[in-house]
Amino acid sequence: MVFDESIRRELYEKWLADTISVHTPTSCAEAKEAISETTAVAIVRHELSTELRERLATLLWRLAPQSRVVFATSSHLPVYNTTPTAQVHLSEPIDRKLLRDAVLGQARIAVYSVALAEYYRRTTHLAGIRLDSTVSDDVRDEIEAAAEALSSVVNGLGAKLTADERREVLDLLVDEADGEPIESAVTESKYRPEACTGCDDSRTGQDAFRDLGAYVWECKSCGTVYERSAAANRRVAKR
């Protein structure tokens, strides 16, 4: 989504349209119709009125809570304490590469976050119904197939994100009820499970576990998934 009342709106669309779908609403009514759960990134111009930006912030919060905001300004100095809250601030001059790097990078984070959350939901659901005799094999197979597809998305996008970006996503997904902060300077080996509690495979370390990103590990033998950043280093599900 591009929210800009200047000629930059068409320019931004031209720079991005070959890679992602771009929409350029010209009113709040159009924005309300266009914003949805598929909205990954919103480019918002600082020079829009405060009232308009506040209305856009409300629409994004209600209709696309997973979206990321790139805040653009014609000022040569960055603007902070923005409305809506932004993950990236761009100030003029903004060229094609700068815009594309910012928008596509935030889009990857948005999609990765949604995919990882849905992956957790599917695998947790699968773990809950695995021994439920009232659930048909077709339903289990469908959930397993969906989890497998999501795993591919998580793996692919996770490899393109930095460690800090993966950490940011995980921070958003960690259950607040845990009440425990995530340690700050850690290595992958610290979070890799020592051994799987779901099977008898004697392998340990890197040979036994597949890195799914964001400190999530999967046993190569039985498919048990571990989310390792939380204090309990808990097992999430078994695929």
Side-chain angles (χ1 to χ4, degrees), residues 3-12 45 48 92:
F3 301 106
D4 195 322
E5 294 177 339
S6 72
I7 60 173
R8 298 179 186 85
R9 180 172 59 215
E10 287 75 24
L11 182 62
Y12 291 170
R45 171 65 53 173
L48 297 177
E92 296 293 347

Side-chain angles (χ1 to χ4, degrees), residues 68-127:
R68 315 275 294 182
V69 174
V70 174
F71 205 74
T73 175
S74 59
S75 169
H76 293 289
L77 297 175
V79 178
Y80 299 101
N81 299 321
T82 59
T83 300
T85 301
Q87 281 71 48
V88 175
H89 295 77
L90 299 179
S91 56
E92 296 293 347
I94 300 172
D95 60 21
R96 181 178 184 275
K97 184 179 186 306
L98 184 64
L99 182 79
R100 285 174 63 88
D101 287 349
V103 171
L104 299 181
Q106 294 305 306
R108 281 192 292 269
I109 295 173
V111 176
Y112 179 77
S113 177
V114 172
L116 188 60
E118 182 64 10
Y119 177 75
Y120 284 161
R121 190 183 74 81
R122 296 273 182 167
T123 52
T124 301
H125 184 198
L126 188 62

Side-chain angles (χ1 to χ4, degrees), residues 59-71:
L59 287 175
L60 291 169
W61 177 76
R62 287 174 48 206
L63 303 175
Q66 76 291 335
S67 63
R68 315 275 294 182
V69 174
V70 174
F71 205 74

Side-chain angles (χ1 to χ4, degrees), residues 182-223:
I182 299 175
E183 292 94 347
S184 55
V186 297
T187 61
E188 284 188 341
S189 59
K190 177 177 178 179
Y191 285 102
R192 183 187 298 120
E194 291 298 323
C196 180
T197 60
C199 69
D200 297 324
D201 195 324
S202 60
R203 292 179 299 173
T204 59
Q206 189 172 3
D207 292 336
F209 296 92
R210 181 180 297 106
D211 183 6
L212 298 181
Y215 308 113
V216 181
W217 300 85
E218 178 188 54
C219 176
K220 293 179 180 179
S221 295
C222 69

